Structure formats: structure tokens, C-alpha cells
Amino acid sequence: MASAELRNVAIDAASYFSDIRVPATFLAGSAVGGLFTMKSNQQQLKTMPRVEYWVRIVYTFLMFTTFLLSMNTAIMASSAFLTTKNTAVYNPMATSAFELLVREFNYELTITRWSYEISMISFIVAIMLRLLLEFDAFDKAAPRRRKSFAAAILLFTSSLAAHLMSFINTRMYQFKSIGALTIEVVKLVAGKNLKGHPLAAL
């Protein structure tokens, strides 16, 4: 069996970073909108059920996490995209764009993949919580029909999240699962710290 031919795949590699930063930017914008549309005054917070209070906190945390990770993806991908254009600082020859990304841009590839995928899952779960709040799922006085809708939302969204996690785990290529990818991210960031780049952990 003949080995794959080496070719200049810099353009193909650059397209990965160019493509991922666009949806990441839209996701960050949606997360900002979700953060500032959930408003409650002090009196409402005191009278609402305790479960609802904590669900609101988790919702805010997930939306903020989505915003941070999406912005991290967009900014890092934009920086890496410009670097891929400067073929004088790396060898653009490889058998595939993925091989080149792993060899020359492993840090950027791993961080952007992890950030974007986690931000998507975080956003989906946050939307589920928001819908539960809108349908008064935690209000004992709410009509039974509204609670049935809330239960259906919980079921469908949980199924979607589980399906996406399963799909992502089968498309890791380098890693066995999203958990293994997370461990690799921690190692890469820790490695940056040891090499004199402490701000990489922020």
C-alpha cells in the first residue's frame, strides 16, 4: 500500500480556525443575551422557591461559562488563523490538514476543540433550565399542563445532550472521550505555566 503524498495543506488547516471562530462568536453573543435577560429583583429572590433560586444560579453560571469558552475559541482561532498564513515559521507539508494541525498547532487545536464543544453543551443545558423556569416547573401553584410541558422539555433536552456527548466521543480521533480531551487540556495549560507562560491558565 502506497504511503500518502506530502503536500502543502496550510490553506486547509487555516480553514479549520476560520470556520470554528464564526459559530463561536455567535454563541458568545447568544450567551450575553441570555445573561442579561434573566432579571429578578430582591423581593422576587426572597419569595421564590429555593430550588428555583439555585436553578437560576446554575443557569447564570452556564451562560457565563458559554460566553467565556466561546470567546476563548474565537480569539484563539483568530490568532491561530493568522499564524497558519505565515508558512515561514512552520513546515506546511503534511499528508492531511489534521496531521498538520496536530503537529504544528496542537495547543490551539486542542483548546479550541474543547472550548467550543463544552460551550455548546453548556449552552444547551442552560437553555433547558431557562425553559423550565419559563414554564414555572418549580412553582407548586403552576397548572399541571405547564409542568407537563416542562417535563417534556427536560426529557427531550437531556436526550439531545446525551446524544451529542455520545457523538462527540466517537469523533475525538486523538482521544477516547471528551473526558480524555479535558485531561489533555489541563496538561497543555499546565505545561504552558511550566514553560513560563502563567497567564495561559487564566
Side-chain angles (χ1 to χ4, degrees):
M1 181 177 179
S3 59
E5 182 182 356
L6 289 175
R7 57 192 179 89
N8 189 329
V9 292
I11 295 178
D12 295 334
S15 67
Y16 164 76
F17 294 114
S18 178
D19 292 344
I20 199 172
R21 63 181 176 174
V22 176
T25 302
F26 283 121
L27 193 57
S30 299
V32 170
L35 279 172
F36 291 100
T37 55
M38 179 67 73
K39 295 182 179 180
S40 300
N41 57 43
Q42 194 65 27
Q43 188 60 35
Q44 288 177 318
L45 292 175
K46 289 181 179 180
T47 58
M48 71 175 54
R50 188 169 182 81
V51 174
E52 181 178 346
Y53 173 78
W54 283 106
V55 168
R56 285 172 176 265
I57 290 178
V58 173
Y59 167 82
T60 302
F61 173 78
L62 290 175
M63 277 299 183
F64 188 58
T65 299
T66 300
F67 170 74
L68 290 180
L69 293 180
S70 297
M71 287 303 300
N72 181 59
T73 302
I75 294 172
M76 186 172 288
S78 296
S79 177
F81 173 75
L82 294 176
T83 305
T84 58
K85 294 298 184 179
N86 185 10
T87 55
V89 299
Y90 71 95
N91 179 14
M93 305 301 290
T95 57
S96 68
F98 187 74
E99 178 189 324
L100 176 64
L101 288 170
V102 172
R103 189 187 71 216
E104 302 288 348
F105 301 94
N106 186 55
Y107 182 82
E108 294 85 348
L109 171 65
T110 304
I111 298 296
T112 53
R113 284 176 67 190
W114 179 82
S115 295
Y116 184 60
E117 288 167 0
I118 295 298
S119 66
M120 284 193 298
I121 298 299
S122 177
F123 185 74
I124 291 172
V125 175
I127 291 299
M128 177 190 71
L129 296 179
R130 179 62 183 269
L131 288 172
L132 291 177
L133 291 170
E134 293 297 328
F135 278 98
D136 300 321
F138 309 103
D139 185 358
K140 294 181 179 180
R144 185 173 181 180
R145 186 177 181 182
R146 291 179 68 86
K147 291 193 174 185
S148 297
F149 277 120
I153 290 169
L154 179 62
L155 176 63
F156 289 132
T157 311
S158 299
S159 298
L160 174 62
H163 167 71
L164 290 177
M165 287 298 295
S166 176
F167 177 79
I168 290 172
N169 285 335
T170 61
R171 294 295 185 271
M172 283 287 99
Y173 300 117
Q174 289 174 281
F175 310 99
K176 293 181 179 180
S177 66
I178 191 70
L181 177 60
T182 302
I183 294 173
E184 181 65 18
V185 168
V186 173
K187 290 180 180 178
L188 289 173
V189 174
K192 283 283 186 180
N193 287 332
L194 295 175
K195 291 179 181 179
H197 300 279
L199 292 180
L202 297 180

Coordinates of all heavy atoms in Angstrom, one line a residue, residues 81 101 128 162 186:
F81 N -5.3 31.4 13.1 CA -5.6 31.6 11.6 C -4.5 32.4 11.0 O -4.0 32.1 9.9 CB -7.0 32.2 11.5 CG -7.3 32.5 10.0 CD1 -7.6 31.5 9.1 CD2 -7.2 33.9 9.6 CE1 -7.9 31.9 7.8 CE2 -7.5 34.2 8.3 CZ -7.9 33.2 7.4
L101 N -2.2 20.1 11.7 CA -2.8 20.8 12.9 C -2.2 20.1 14.2 O -1.8 20.8 15.2 CB -4.3 20.8 12.9 CG -5.0 21.7 11.9 CD1 -6.5 21.4 11.9 CD2 -4.8 23.1 12.3
M128 N -32.2 24.7 28.5 CA -33.1 23.8 29.1 C -33.6 24.3 30.4 O -34.8 24.3 30.7 CB -32.5 22.4 29.3 CG -33.4 21.4 30.1 SD -32.6 19.9 30.6 CE -31.5 20.5 31.9
A162 N -27.3 14.0 25.7 CA -26.7 12.7 25.8 C -26.2 12.2 24.4 O -25.2 11.7 24.2 CB -27.6 11.7 26.4
V186 N -5.9 20.2 30.4 CA -5.2 20.6 31.7 C -3.7 20.4 31.6 O -2.9 21.2 32.1 CB -5.8 19.7 32.8 CG1 -5.0 19.9 34.1 CG2 -7.3 20.0 33.1

